[in-house]
Amino acid sequence: MAEKKVIAVIFGGRSVEHDVSVLTGLQFLEALDPGKYTGLPVYVDPLGQWWTGDALKKRSYYPVNDSKQKTLSEVKLELATNANGRPSLTTFKKGLMGEKREAIPFDLMVPAIHGSNGEDGTLQGLLEFANIPYAGCRTLGAAATMNKEFTKKQARQNNINVLDEMIMARPKTGTFLDPEAIENELTSVFGAIRYPYIVKPCNLGSSVGVGKADDIDSLIGALMTAFKLDSEVIIEPFVENLVEYNISVRRKLDGTIITSAIERPLRNAELLDFKNKYLGGNEPGAPKAKSGGNSEGMASLNRELNPSNLNTDQIDIIRNSSSKIFDVLNLAGSVRIDFLSNEKTGEIWLNEVNTIPGSFAYFLWEAAEEATSFLALTSDIIEEGFALSAKRLGDTGTHIGGATIFVES
């Protein structure tokens, strides 16, 4: 019987999306096929320290405070491959004879960190540098999709419909936002000022720091909020009669790109913000949509699957556009792509691409025409990660490329 692979799932992180990432990581660990894999939780706290321990698999263990950390093992990622060819984490334990290093080997890492320092290509780059097999998007795809402006440019070049936008850089410290200058730029970009506008950070998740501006005062307020989270902010026209549609895309092991069920999130507010998406409209601390076990995160959002109000042409636009941008940016893993629509006119615009979606969008695959269970989805994501990582590996010896300069005398 083949030895089970150890799958390190890394979650948490130094990001405003830290808590959502914890839910996603716990769900992935819970959905691993126990006959094929052993899950290794790797929690990154808000200060950037890495921890492991079985207690981290329990939703009730969070938030992790100083006293709870005493029951865990702090770990460091080894950048050099060990003697048996497996990557490893190292923990340091104090004993009578001093500090003792202990290796914790694993076979593949699954990034489940949302937003900054995890979904933006930085973690993927570290894993590439250390030659560590990992799942999901490669460095380029992760970095490209994190920037909303870049994603929209790629979409336009491939005839995918997106809204016009204006980009603003965070002003220098000590300077104020000039209302007249802002409105002049709005006129220059959009041809005329037509409130309301939507304001959001250019390099964060779809629901974090998003605000609606009905006039210049609320626009400045929304910009100030967004600039606390990002150095660049994107301003877009507000879509009247707004409805949103989400779909997940991935590549089968034979290379075929497939799409999931389409969902229409149902919200109790004008915008689908963080509170509506992850707390079911409740304030932090209020009862969640589901109790017991690991919280469902975005999986508990009220939604209509395969919504009846979409006609065949609209469905084709969503499926074809999402498949095209997935292919153009050479993405991997289970990617959720979000669309905006004017329900009255039927127009549809690609909004953004989420390479590490909440819950890995498993609920969309369970409802797909060719239904895929969460257990099968995690297995596919892992096996794809092994294949992509193996494809990249090459001989790094200087003699191979005739690049040797220094030789032993």
Side-chain angles (χ1 to χ4, degrees):
M1 185 176 178
E3 186 178 350
K4 290 192 287 188
K5 299 287 188 182
V6 177
I7 307 301
V9 181
I10 185 168
F11 53 90
R14 291 180 292 178
S15 167
V16 296
E17 299 178 72
H18 173 277
D19 287 8
V20 180
S21 170
V22 171
L23 297 181
T24 297
L26 295 183
Q27 289 165 346
F28 197 96
L29 284 164
E30 199 171 60
L32 287 174
D33 185 338
K36 296 164 62 177
Y37 311 114
T38 298
L40 174 67
V42 181
Y43 169 65
V44 182
D45 70 24
L47 296 177
Q49 294 173 296
W50 293 28
W51 304 88
T52 193
D54 285 340
L56 289 169
K57 295 180 180 180
K58 300 176 182 178
R59 169 68 179 85
S60 58
Y61 199 73
Y62 299 86
V64 178
N65 54 31
D66 290 344
S67 63
K68 290 178 181 176
Q69 286 179 355
K70 294 176 182 178
T71 68
L72 303 174
S73 297
E74 186 176 359
V75 292
K76 307 291 184 184
L77 181 69
E78 288 294 332
L79 299 183
T81 306
N82 63 26
N84 63 12
R86 297 173 74 191
S88 65
L89 298 164
T90 298
T91 183
F92 301 86
K93 295 185 176 180
K94 293 181 179 179
L96 295 176
M97 304 299 292
E99 199 169 60
K100 178 183 177 184
R101 289 169 60 102
E102 186 176 305
I104 305 175
F106 63 94
D107 297 288
L108 177 135
M109 182 166 282
V110 177
I113 295 179
H114 293 267
S116 308
N117 306 309
E119 194 174 353
D120 57 3
T122 52
L123 175 59
Q124 291 80 359
L126 173 64
L127 297 174
E128 296 268 7
F129 180 80
N131 249 1
I132 294 174
Y134 66 96
C137 285
R138 305 296 97 177
T139 306
L140 179 60
T145 53
M146 193 65 180
N147 186 290
K148 294 180 176 69
E149 181 187 19
F150 184 85
T151 301
K152 293 180 76 168
K153 285 180 178 178
Q154 297 303 305
R156 283 195 187 96
Q157 291 177 8
N158 288 276
N159 299 313
I160 298 172
N161 200 25
V162 291
L163 292 168
D164 292 333
E165 78 280 348
M166 177 177 131
I167 303 297
M168 281 192 65
R170 179 192 291 154
K172 295 180 180 178
T173 303
T175 59
F176 295 94
L177 293 169
D178 183 345
E180 185 177 351
I182 292 172
E183 291 205 320
N184 286 340
E185 193 170 352
L186 286 171
T187 303
S188 173
V189 172
F190 297 114
I193 297 175
R194 298 183 181 90
Y195 289 103
Y197 292 101
I198 291 296
V199 178
K200 52 191 175 183
C202 196
N203 296 282
L204 277 180
S206 58
S207 59
V208 179
V210 179
K212 181 187 175 189
D214 295 304
D215 51 38
I216 186 60
D217 290 335
S218 56
L219 177 58
I220 289 176
L223 286 169
M224 291 174 67
T225 297
F227 280 135
K228 292 177 182 178
L229 300 170
D230 195 8
S231 61
E232 282 189 317
V233 166
I234 189 166
I235 302 173
E236 297 173 336
F238 178 75
V239 176
E240 298 293 337
N241 312 300
L242 177 64
V243 291
E244 300 179 48
Y245 300 105
N246 303 328
I247 190 171
S248 189
V249 187
R250 62 189 177 95
R251 197 183 299 270
K252 295 175 72 173
L253 296 179
D254 65 4
T256 306
I257 293 176
I258 57 174
T259 56
S260 72
I262 298 172
E263 68 166 338
R264 175 183 175 177
L266 303 177
R267 58 187 187 276
N268 58 11
E270 194 170 32
L271 294 177
L272 186 64
D273 60 9
F274 182 90
K275 185 175 71 173
N276 277 280
K277 185 179 289 187
Y278 293 105
L279 299 175
N282 296 318
E283 295 295 338
K288 305 297 186 293
K290 295 189 178 182
S291 60
N294 293 329
S295 172
E296 292 295 304
M298 194 171 173
S300 65
L301 177 71
N302 290 327
R303 61 172 52 80
E304 181 184 0
L305 290 167
N306 298 315
S308 57
N309 65 313
L310 285 173
N311 61 41
T312 302
D313 289 341
Q314 291 173 311
I315 292 171
D316 286 344
I317 288 172
I318 292 173
R319 293 196 184 281
N320 293 337
S321 297
S322 56
S323 296
K324 185 181 290 186
I325 198 71
F326 184 95
D327 193 38
V328 164
L329 296 176
N330 196 25
L331 304 181
S334 176
V335 174
R336 195 190 77 237
I337 301 177
D338 302 346
F339 292 83
L340 306 173
S341 177
N342 183 322
E343 189 171 24
K344 187 172 288 186
T345 66
E347 295 172 277
I348 293 176
W349 301 268
L350 185 146
N351 184 29
E352 66 176 48
V353 179
N354 302 275
T355 57
I356 304 178
S359 309
F360 284 96
Y362 78 84
F363 43 90
L364 295 179
W365 292 109
E366 288 181 340
E369 186 174 344
E370 185 181 331
T372 303
S373 69
F374 198 4
L375 182 141
L377 179 64
T378 59
S379 295
D380 285 352
I381 290 172
I382 288 167
E383 295 308 318
E384 179 190 50
F386 277 122
L388 290 174
S389 298
K391 186 186 296 185
R392 178 185 177 276
L393 296 179
D395 199 314
T396 56
T398 56
H399 64 285
I400 297 296
T404 301
I405 295 176
F406 305 105
V407 293
E408 292 186 17
S409 57

mmCIF file of all heavy atoms in Angstrom, residues 200-222:
data_model
loop_
_atom_site.group_PDB
_atom_site.id
_atom_site.type_symbol
_atom_site.label_atom_id
_atom_site.label_comp_id
_atom_site.label_asym_id
_atom_site.label_seq_id
_atom_site.Cartn_x
_atom_site.Cartn_y
_atom_site.Cartn_z
ATOM 1 N N LYS A 200 -13.019 50.950 -4.756
ATOM 2 C CA LYS A 200 -12.476 49.753 -4.102
ATOM 3 C C LYS A 200 -10.962 49.691 -4.264
ATOM 4 O O LYS A 200 -10.407 50.231 -5.241
ATOM 5 C CB LYS A 200 -13.109 48.489 -4.676
ATOM 6 C CG LYS A 200 -13.077 48.360 -6.189
ATOM 7 C CD LYS A 200 -13.966 47.199 -6.640
ATOM 8 C CE LYS A 200 -14.056 47.131 -8.160
ATOM 9 N NZ LYS A 200 -14.975 46.067 -8.609
ATOM 10 N N PRO A 201 -10.270 49.067 -3.311
ATOM 11 C CA PRO A 201 -8.822 48.866 -3.448
ATOM 12 C C PRO A 201 -8.525 48.076 -4.720
ATOM 13 O O PRO A 201 -9.280 47.189 -5.105
ATOM 14 C CB PRO A 201 -8.451 48.066 -2.196
ATOM 15 C CG PRO A 201 -9.548 48.362 -1.224
ATOM 16 C CD PRO A 201 -10.786 48.514 -2.049
ATOM 17 N N CYS A 202 -7.414 48.399 -5.352
ATOM 18 C CA CYS A 202 -7.070 47.749 -6.617
ATOM 19 C C CYS A 202 -6.494 46.356 -6.401
ATOM 20 O O CYS A 202 -6.560 45.518 -7.288
ATOM 21 C CB CYS A 202 -6.050 48.615 -7.366
ATOM 22 S SG CYS A 202 -5.860 48.200 -9.110
ATOM 23 N N ASN A 203 -5.968 46.099 -5.205
ATOM 24 C CA ASN A 203 -5.241 44.843 -4.981
ATOM 25 C C ASN A 203 -5.732 44.064 -3.769
ATOM 26 O O ASN A 203 -4.938 43.495 -3.021
ATOM 27 C CB ASN A 203 -3.743 45.133 -4.794
ATOM 28 C CG ASN A 203 -3.121 45.732 -6.036
ATOM 29 O OD1 ASN A 203 -2.829 45.030 -6.990
ATOM 30 N ND2 ASN A 203 -2.944 47.046 -6.027
ATOM 31 N N LEU A 204 -7.064 44.024 -3.581
ATOM 32 C CA LEU A 204 -7.620 43.245 -2.479
ATOM 33 C C LEU A 204 -8.802 42.435 -2.969
ATOM 34 O O LEU A 204 -9.191 42.515 -4.127
ATOM 35 C CB LEU A 204 -8.047 44.166 -1.327
ATOM 36 C CG LEU A 204 -6.954 44.603 -0.342
ATOM 37 C CD1 LEU A 204 -7.540 45.505 0.725
ATOM 38 C CD2 LEU A 204 -6.267 43.414 0.300
ATOM 39 N N GLY A 205 -9.420 41.681 -2.039
ATOM 40 C CA GLY A 205 -10.555 40.846 -2.383
ATOM 41 C C GLY A 205 -11.773 41.660 -2.777
ATOM 42 O O GLY A 205 -11.849 42.869 -2.569
ATOM 43 N N SER A 206 -12.774 40.972 -3.318
ATOM 44 C CA SER A 206 -13.928 41.635 -3.929
ATOM 45 C C SER A 206 -14.807 42.385 -2.950
ATOM 46 O O SER A 206 -15.534 43.285 -3.350
ATOM 47 C CB SER A 206 -14.783 40.583 -4.659
ATOM 48 O OG SER A 206 -15.191 39.578 -3.764
ATOM 49 N N SER A 207 -14.754 42.046 -1.676
ATOM 50 C CA SER A 207 -15.704 42.639 -0.732
ATOM 51 C C SER A 207 -15.056 43.509 0.325
ATOM 52 O O SER A 207 -15.737 44.059 1.185
ATOM 53 C CB SER A 207 -16.497 41.523 -0.038
ATOM 54 O OG SER A 207 -15.610 40.659 0.646
ATOM 55 N N VAL A 208 -13.737 43.649 0.288
ATOM 56 C CA VAL A 208 -13.022 44.377 1.333
ATOM 57 C C VAL A 208 -12.755 45.812 0.897
ATOM 58 O O VAL A 208 -12.190 46.055 -0.167
ATOM 59 C CB VAL A 208 -11.687 43.677 1.675
ATOM 60 C CG1 VAL A 208 -10.932 44.451 2.736
ATOM 61 C CG2 VAL A 208 -11.943 42.252 2.139
ATOM 62 N N GLY A 209 -13.183 46.767 1.726
ATOM 63 C CA GLY A 209 -12.902 48.173 1.462
ATOM 64 C C GLY A 209 -13.714 48.776 0.336
ATOM 65 O O GLY A 209 -13.359 49.827 -0.191
ATOM 66 N N VAL A 210 -14.817 48.129 -0.062
ATOM 67 C CA VAL A 210 -15.644 48.611 -1.174
ATOM 68 C C VAL A 210 -16.666 49.614 -0.657
ATOM 69 O O VAL A 210 -17.308 49.394 0.369
ATOM 70 C CB VAL A 210 -16.362 47.439 -1.869
ATOM 71 C CG1 VAL A 210 -17.236 47.947 -3.014
ATOM 72 C CG2 VAL A 210 -15.352 46.432 -2.380
ATOM 73 N N GLY A 211 -16.804 50.741 -1.368
ATOM 74 C CA GLY A 211 -17.772 51.746 -0.964
ATOM 75 C C GLY A 211 -18.473 52.370 -2.152
ATOM 76 O O GLY A 211 -17.952 52.383 -3.264
ATOM 77 N N LYS A 212 -19.686 52.874 -1.903
ATOM 78 C CA LYS A 212 -20.459 53.553 -2.945
ATOM 79 C C LYS A 212 -20.428 55.047 -2.667
ATOM 80 O O LYS A 212 -20.587 55.490 -1.518
ATOM 81 C CB LYS A 212 -21.896 53.039 -2.944
ATOM 82 C CG LYS A 212 -22.774 53.683 -4.019
ATOM 83 C CD LYS A 212 -24.228 53.267 -3.852
ATOM 84 C CE LYS A 212 -25.120 53.995 -4.852
ATOM 85 N NZ LYS A 212 -26.550 53.786 -4.584
ATOM 86 N N ALA A 213 -20.235 55.847 -3.709
ATOM 87 C CA ALA A 213 -20.166 57.301 -3.572
ATOM 88 C C ALA A 213 -21.284 57.951 -4.379
ATOM 89 O O ALA A 213 -21.348 57.789 -5.596
ATOM 90 C CB ALA A 213 -18.805 57.803 -4.052
ATOM 91 N N ASP A 214 -22.167 58.684 -3.688
ATOM 92 C CA ASP A 214 -23.291 59.367 -4.342
ATOM 93 C C ASP A 214 -22.998 60.826 -4.648
ATOM 94 O O ASP A 214 -23.764 61.480 -5.352
ATOM 95 C CB ASP A 214 -24.537 59.274 -3.459
ATOM 96 C CG ASP A 214 -25.021 57.844 -3.313
ATOM 97 O OD1 ASP A 214 -25.274 57.205 -4.347
ATOM 98 O OD2 ASP A 214 -25.121 57.361 -2.171
ATOM 99 N N ASP A 215 -21.905 61.361 -4.107
ATOM 100 C CA ASP A 215 -21.517 62.749 -4.348
ATOM 101 C C ASP A 215 -20.034 62.885 -4.033
ATOM 102 O O ASP A 215 -19.388 61.924 -3.609
ATOM 103 C CB ASP A 215 -22.360 63.714 -3.498
ATOM 104 C CG ASP A 215 -22.380 63.336 -2.031
ATOM 105 O OD1 ASP A 215 -21.328 62.896 -1.508
ATOM 106 O OD2 ASP A 215 -23.448 63.459 -1.396
ATOM 107 N N ILE A 216 -19.488 64.074 -4.203
ATOM 108 C CA ILE A 216 -18.052 64.262 -4.038
ATOM 109 C C ILE A 216 -17.622 64.020 -2.595
ATOM 110 O O ILE A 216 -16.547 63.465 -2.335
ATOM 111 C CB ILE A 216 -17.606 65.661 -4.515
ATOM 112 C CG1 ILE A 216 -16.072 65.794 -4.478
ATOM 113 C CG2 ILE A 216 -18.287 66.747 -3.707
ATOM 114 C CD1 ILE A 216 -15.330 64.800 -5.354
ATOM 115 N N ASP A 217 -18.452 64.377 -1.629
ATOM 116 C CA ASP A 217 -18.074 64.174 -0.223
ATOM 117 C C ASP A 217 -17.973 62.689 0.113
ATOM 118 O O ASP A 217 -17.009 62.249 0.761
ATOM 119 C CB ASP A 217 -19.093 64.851 0.706
ATOM 120 C CG ASP A 217 -19.023 66.369 0.637
ATOM 121 O OD1 ASP A 217 -17.951 66.890 0.284
ATOM 122 O OD2 ASP A 217 -20.040 67.031 0.927
ATOM 123 N N SER A 218 -18.966 61.915 -0.305
ATOM 124 C CA SER A 218 -18.913 60.479 -0.023
ATOM 125 C C SER A 218 -17.826 59.791 -0.863
ATOM 126 O O SER A 218 -17.256 58.777 -0.449
ATOM 127 C CB SER A 218 -20.273 59.824 -0.265
ATOM 128 O OG SER A 218 -20.737 60.046 -1.576
ATOM 129 N N LEU A 219 -17.503 60.358 -2.023
ATOM 130 C CA LEU A 219 -16.408 59.815 -2.836
ATOM 131 C C LEU A 219 -15.077 59.980 -2.108
ATOM 132 O O LEU A 219 -14.272 59.043 -2.036
ATOM 133 C CB LEU A 219 -16.362 60.509 -4.198
ATOM 134 C CG LEU A 219 -15.213 60.089 -5.132
ATOM 135 C CD1 LEU A 219 -15.249 58.597 -5.417
ATOM 136 C CD2 LEU A 219 -15.276 60.876 -6.448
ATOM 137 N N ILE A 220 -14.851 61.156 -1.551
ATOM 138 C CA ILE A 220 -13.603 61.393 -0.806
ATOM 139 C C ILE A 220 -13.543 60.475 0.410
ATOM 140 O O ILE A 220 -12.496 59.901 0.730
ATOM 141 C CB ILE A 220 -13.484 62.875 -0.411
ATOM 142 C CG1 ILE A 220 -13.212 63.720 -1.670
ATOM 143 C CG2 ILE A 220 -12.367 63.073 0.615
ATOM 144 C CD1 ILE A 220 -13.161 65.191 -1.432
ATOM 145 N N GLY A 221 -14.688 60.295 1.096
ATOM 146 C CA GLY A 221 -14.713 59.400 2.247
ATOM 147 C C GLY A 221 -14.388 57.968 1.855
ATOM 148 O O GLY A 221 -13.631 57.280 2.549
ATOM 149 N N ALA A 222 -14.947 57.502 0.738
ATOM 150 C CA ALA A 222 -14.680 56.141 0.272
ATOM 151 C C ALA A 222 -13.222 55.977 -0.148
ATOM 152 O O ALA A 222 -12.604 54.927 0.094
ATOM 153 C CB ALA A 222 -15.603 55.805 -0.890
#
